[in-house]
C-alpha cells in the first residue's frame, strides 16, 4: 500500500452522523447520507461508481478522498453443525476470527474487537497471546458485512442470517471503545444493519471507565464476564479485577441498566471451570452477590485449549450449578458448545497474531493504563 492510500479514510466505518457532517461540509444535501449508506450496508457496494443515484461530482470526491474496503477474508471454515468461522486479515497483517452460530430461530455473530487481548484472563486462549493491536471501526463493522453478504450468497432464500451480534470474539471491546462505539452504532442504525439494541451486546471483562463512558452515549446491551462470586477468586481468573473489583463493577453496571430503563438487564457471563468456581458454595455466593441486580445469567462450560491446566466440568455439574441459581429465582441459560470441530467455541479464538514482541507483561500494562 502506498503512503497516500494508507492515509485515505475508509468510508465503511462512517456513521450516519459522520456522513451528514461530511456532506454538510461539502455543501451537499444531508439526505444523500441515506442513499450512500444503503449502497454500502444494504447492497454491499464495493465502489462509489456503483452509486448511480449520487451525482458524479460527489462520487468522484468520495473516491479521491477515501476508500470502501472490507477487510480481506483469509479463510472461511464451516462446521458440521452449521457454525461458520471467518479468519479475517487486519491492517496489522494478523488474523482475527468472526464466528456465525445458527440456531433454530436466530443467528448470532460473534465479532472481534482487537488482535489479541491485553487482559490475560487465566482461562482464555486469546488472552494467552497478549495484545497486538486495535481493530478499526471499518474492520469491526466489516466482519458483520462479510457475514451478511456470505450468508445471503449461501442461503439465497435468506433463511439464515445474522439476527444478533455479540462483541465476544477476540479482544476487550471497552479497551478499543473509540472504534467499537461507531461500529455498534452502525449495527443498530436502520441505514446500517438495523439490528435491535436488545440484540447487539458489548461484552466486557470489567473495564469500569469504559462502562462509565457508555452511559449517556449508547443504549447497546451489556454483558459482563464475571466468572467468580468473590474478589479473591476473580483476581485469579480475571486479573483486571484487582483494579476494578466486583462491587465497583456491579455498581456501574446497575447505573447503566437503570439509565436505559425499559426493564433492560445485564447479562452476567460465568465460565464454569471444573473444581475452580463450580462448587455449591460458589453458586450460593453468586446468588447472594447478584440479589437485586438486574441480570440474566449465562453459564459457559469451560472450553479447553492446548496448554491450559483447566478442565471442562461435566454437564451434570453445570446443571446442578444452574439449578441452584434457578431455585433462587434467577433466569439462567447454559451456552452450548458450537463449532467444536473448527475451534470456534468461546475462548478458543486465537486468529494468528503476527507480532509476538508485544506480548510482554510490560506492553499489556501500557495498553490497559492508556485505555482507561
Ligand atoms: N473481553 C470480553 C469479550 C471476549 S470473551 C469479555 O471478557 O467479556 C467472550 C466470553 O467468553 C467471555 O465471557 C470470556 O470470559 C469467555 N471465555 C473465554 N475463554 C473461555 C473458555 N476457554 N471457555 C469458555 N468461555 C471462555
Amino acid at each position: 500500500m502506498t503512503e497516500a492510500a494508507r492515509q485515505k479514510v475508509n468510508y465503511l466505518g462512517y456513521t450516519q452522523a459522520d456522513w451528514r457532517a461530511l456532506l454538510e461540509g461539502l455543501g451537499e444535501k444531508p439526505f444523500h447520507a441515506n442513499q450512500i449508506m444503503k449502497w454500502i450496508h444494504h447492497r454491499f457496494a464495493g465502489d462509489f461508481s456503483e452509486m448511480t443515484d449520487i451525482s458524479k461530482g460527489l462520487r468522484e470526491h468520495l473516491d479521491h478522498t477515501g476508500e470502501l474496503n472490507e477487510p480481506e477474508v483469509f479463510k472461511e471454515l464451516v462446521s458440521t453443525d452449521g457454525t461458520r468461522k471467518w479468519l479475517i486479515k487486519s491492517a496489522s497483517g494478523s488474523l482475527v476470527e468472526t464466528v456465525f452460530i445458527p440456531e433454530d430461530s436466530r443467528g448470532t455473530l460473534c465479532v472481534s474487537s482487537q488482535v489479541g487481548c491485553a487482559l490475560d484472563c487465566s482461562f482464555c486462549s486469546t488472552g494467552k497471546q497478549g495484545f497486538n493491536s486495535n481493530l478499526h471501526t471499518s474492520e469491526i463493522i466489516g466482519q458483520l458485512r462479510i457475514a451478511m453478504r456470505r450468508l445471503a450468497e449461501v442461503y439465497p432464500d435468506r433463511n439464515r442470517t445474522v439476527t444478533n451480534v455479540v462483541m465476544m470474539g477476540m479482544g476487550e471491546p471497552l479497551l478499543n471503545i473509540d472504534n467499537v462505539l461507531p461500529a455498534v452504532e452502525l449495527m443498530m442504525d436502520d441505514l446500517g444493519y438495523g439490528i435491535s439494541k436488545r440484540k447487539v451486546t458489548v461484552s466486557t471483562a470489567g473495564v469500569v471507565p469504559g462502562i462509565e463512558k457508555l452511559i449517556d452515549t449508547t443504549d447497546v446491551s451489556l454483558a459482563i464476564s464475571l466468572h467468580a462470586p468473590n474478589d479473591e477468586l476473580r483476581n485469579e481468573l480475571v486479573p483486571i479485577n484487582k483494579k476494578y473489583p466486583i462491587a465497583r463493577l456491579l455498581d456501574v453496571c446497575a447505573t447503566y441498566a437503570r439509565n436505559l430503563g425499559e426493564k433492560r438487564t445485564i447479562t452476567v457471563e460465568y465460565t464454569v471451570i471444573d473444581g475452580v468456581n463450580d462448587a455449591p458454595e460458589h453458586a450460593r455466593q453468586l446468588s447472594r452477590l447478584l440479589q437485586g441486580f438486574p441480570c440474566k445469567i449465562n453459564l459457559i462450560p469451560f472450553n479447553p485449549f492446548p496448554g491450559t491446566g483447566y478442565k471442562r466440568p461435566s454437564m451434570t455439574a453445570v446443571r446442578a450449578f444452574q439449578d441452584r441459581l434457578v431455585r433462587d429465582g434467577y433466569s439462567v441459560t447454559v451456552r452450548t458448545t458450537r463449532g467444536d470441530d473448527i475451534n470456534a467455541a468461546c475462548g478458543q479464538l486465537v486468529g494468528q497474531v503476527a507480532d509476538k514482541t508485544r506480548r510482554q507483561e510490560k506492553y499489556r500494562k501500557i495498553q490497559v493504563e492508556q485505555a482507561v
Side-chain angles (χ1 to χ4, degrees), residues 165-326:
V165 176
V166 290
M167 296 292 311
M168 294 183 190
M170 295 168 67
E172 167 50 51
L174 297 188
L175 289 183
N176 184 18
I177 198 164
D178 292 343
N179 287 300
V180 166
L181 273 181
V184 161
E185 202 176 304
L186 277 169
M187 291 171 189
M188 301 191 291
D189 188 340
D190 283 340
L191 292 174
Y193 297 85
I195 302 176
S196 139
K197 60 192 177 192
R198 290 171 186 274
K199 295 181 175 179
V200 178
T201 304
V202 169
S203 178
T204 179
V207 180
V208 167
I211 303 171
E212 283 165 349
K213 272 191 208 161
L214 298 183
I215 299 173
D216 294 328
T217 313
T218 179
D219 52 6
V220 73
S221 297
L222 183 65
I224 52 167
S225 292
L226 192 64
H227 309 312
N230 61 65
D231 283 321
E232 196 189 348
L233 182 56
R234 194 165 193 267
N235 285 346
E236 212 180 283
L237 300 177
V238 186
I240 197 174
N241 192 69
K242 291 178 205 152
K243 194 156 184 189
Y244 308 113
I246 294 176
R248 252 192 95 183
L249 173 60
L250 293 185
D251 196 47
V252 70
C253 287
T255 307
Y256 183 70
R258 210 176 315 119
N259 219 40
L260 293 180
E262 310 171 337
K263 294 199 180 132
R264 298 278 293 276
T265 54
I266 306 286
T267 302
V268 170
E269 293 162 275
Y270 194 100
T271 296
V272 188
I273 310 172
D274 183 48
V276 174
N277 63 358
D278 63 344
E281 178 54 22
H282 293 126
R284 268 192 295 275
Q285 281 182 18
L286 186 61
S287 178
R288 240 176 287 135
L289 179 70
L290 296 178
Q291 240 174 48
F293 183 71
C295 65
K296 289 200 173 82
I297 303 171
N298 191 211
L299 302 178
I300 317 168
F302 171 69
N303 291 308
F305 52 87
T308 180
Y310 294 126
K311 286 204 236 23
R312 190 188 183 90
S314 70
M315 256 346 251
T316 320
V318 178
R319 291 291 173 206
F321 198 90
Q322 178 185 29
D323 288 346
R324 284 197 177 84
L325 295 164
V326 169

